[in-house]
Amino acid sequence: MKKQFYLCYRETLNRLHLKKHIVIALFVGSILNILNQFDAISNLNFVNLNVFKVVITYLIPFSVSVYSAATINQQEK
């Protein structure tokens, strides 16, 4: 488990990879946020927008992207 965290940490230190992970998270997270909170977003009623869900919805694709890239890089070595 400690090894996976270290590999993910190293993956985020690479600026080029980090930029790609952020772009993936923004793209996938935006689609998921629109699907999950369509009523609040479509009515521009940001008071009813659940901030915790927004943060988690962007964090999960970012984490998956970093983890998958780290494990693929480990297998290639």
Side-chain angles (χ1 to χ4, degrees):
M1 180 64 98
K2 190 175 181 180
K3 185 177 181 180
Q4 283 92 0
F5 284 120
Y6 177 72
L7 291 172
C8 291
Y9 172 72
R10 287 192 53 209
E11 182 68 25
T12 58
L13 292 179
N14 185 329
R15 285 183 181 248
L16 181 61
H17 292 181
L18 181 61
K19 187 176 179 180
K20 289 180 183 180
H21 299 311
I22 291 172
V23 168
I24 290 169
L26 288 174
F27 180 74
V28 174
S30 296
I31 292 171
L32 291 174
N33 270 315
I34 290 170
L35 291 173
N36 291 334
Q37 301 191 53
F38 183 75
D39 292 337
I41 294 171
S42 66
N43 296 330
L44 298 176
N45 186 6
F46 298 111
V47 174
N48 292 335
L49 197 65
N50 189 334
V51 178
F52 180 73
K53 285 184 178 180
V54 171
V55 171
I56 293 297
T57 305
Y58 284 107
L59 186 63
I60 296 300
F62 177 79
S63 302
V64 170
S65 177
V66 169
Y67 181 77
S68 60
T71 54
I72 288 173
N73 289 342
Q74 178 190 13
Q75 291 173 357
E76 290 177 353
K77 291 181 179 180

